[in-house]
Amino acid sequence: MAFRNLLPVLSLAALVACQTSSSPSMDSTASSLAPAGKEGKWQPLFDGKTTQGWHTYGQQTIGKAWKVEDGTLRLDAAAKKDWQTSEGGDIVTQESFGDFHLKLDWKIAANGNSGIILFVQEDPAQYKYTWHTGPEIQVLDNAGHPDAKIHKHRAGDLYDLIASSPETVKPAGEWNQVEIISQNGRLEVKQNGQQVLSTTMWDDNWRALIAGSKFAKMPGFGAFKSGKIALQDHGDNVWYRNIMIKRL
């Protein structure tokens, strides 16, 4: 190519390069809560500053009772209404997840009750509550809440389905770290560094567990292999932080 013919091409290339370098990159403009679309990459579900990425089940926004304080996501249960909180409600992620590794810290008030609910199908017309479809990892003050006296209702249990063991939960007011791993039908739960629960989902034994539980007459319960993650409003003060997920 003759040099005189090359000049327009070089000028165009320089212009494109200039525009590209002056434009903000995808990484710099993207939220820290960008969709967790890449396998094997940790993504925050809570940025420690806002409630971005969460909304009340069946609504577009999040209830005012869920507050961000000192890097935690807290349910302020001062205005209790029935068994939940006025302007609270269970909150769910924007995205759905199938195989995943979820980790977070939780802290419960004295005599408190909450939960981490998995595979939630957000269809309020068909399923009134998150727990009509999603199995729950119990969050509880074992020393003070009446549910602790019920088998399979203690902290770390797969609520009303499988009891956790060993019991590693810390007292009310102290932080607990939980990891929940769902992969190829296997569900494992670690609490404070120890594995406390392992089971296979969606097989005959899983269906038998459901049939023998309080969820037996809920046809959608535990049936879905992908869904949203929920944090439960059970009318008690609870704190969550360091909420991270990785697709597997």
Side-chain angles (χ1 to χ4, degrees):
M1 179 183 296
F3 183 73
R4 62 177 178 275
N5 294 331
L6 184 59
L7 286 175
V9 177
L10 292 175
S11 299
L12 179 60
L15 178 61
V16 171
C18 181
Q19 290 176 337
T20 301
S21 62
S22 63
S23 299
S25 68
M26 182 67 72
D27 289 341
S28 66
T29 59
S31 164
S32 61
L33 295 175
K38 293 184 178 180
E39 291 184 3
K41 181 179 179 180
W42 286 105
Q43 294 283 346
L45 291 179
F46 170 54
D47 62 12
K49 299 177 182 179
T50 71
T51 57
Q52 182 183 349
W54 297 85
H55 61 272
T56 299
Y57 179 77
Q59 301 181 26
Q60 297 296 317
T61 58
I62 191 169
K64 293 180 181 178
W66 287 96
K67 301 177 179 180
V68 178
E69 295 179 354
D70 300 322
T72 73
L73 181 58
R74 178 173 84 94
L75 175 67
D76 180 355
K80 193 165 183 176
K81 182 179 180 181
D82 298 324
W83 58 275
Q84 288 193 309
T85 304
S86 178
E87 295 193 271
D90 293 0
I91 58 174
V92 297
T93 54
Q94 304 286 48
E95 294 182 74
S96 291
F97 301 91
D99 286 355
F100 61 84
H101 185 165
L102 171 70
K103 59 183 180 181
L104 56 80
D105 301 333
W106 63 264
K107 179 174 69 172
I108 193 75
N111 308 320
N113 187 341
S114 183
I116 305 158
I117 304 175
L118 315 173
F119 306 112
V120 173
Q121 305 302 302
E122 194 170 15
D123 183 359
Q126 187 172 3
Y127 308 114
K128 187 175 181 180
Y129 297 109
T130 59
W131 45 271
H132 284 185
T133 55
E136 173 190 349
I137 305 302
Q138 178 76 303
V139 168
L140 197 78
D141 172 17
N142 280 356
H145 196 280
D147 254 26
K149 299 178 181 179
I150 304 173
H151 185 50
K152 303 177 186 177
H153 286 204
R154 295 174 70 82
D157 290 358
L158 186 58
Y159 182 82
D160 214 54
L161 297 175
I162 302 174
S164 58
S165 179
E167 188 168 290
T168 63
V169 66
K170 297 180 181 179
E174 295 188 22
W175 286 104
N176 294 270
Q177 184 186 64
V178 170
E179 296 185 57
I180 302 169
I181 304 167
S182 170
Q183 188 171 28
N184 299 326
R186 291 293 299 173
L187 179 68
E188 295 183 359
V189 179
K190 296 179 181 179
Q191 186 164 257
N192 295 321
Q194 294 188 54
Q195 182 170 304
V196 298
L197 190 150
S198 179
T199 191
T200 299
M201 299 176 287
W202 311 306
D203 62 2
D204 288 342
N205 181 65
W206 177 255
R207 287 184 281 273
L209 287 172
I210 294 173
S213 75
K214 65 187 292 182
F215 308 107
K217 295 184 179 180
M218 300 179 186
F221 179 84
F224 297 93
K225 298 182 180 181
S226 178
K228 297 185 176 184
I229 293 165
L231 302 178
Q232 187 181 51
D233 171 4
H234 207 288
D236 298 311
N237 288 298
V238 65
W239 294 256
Y240 293 95
R241 69 180 184 186
N242 299 331
I243 311 172
M244 303 284 290
I245 199 163
K246 177 169 61 177
R247 294 187 188 273
L248 301 176

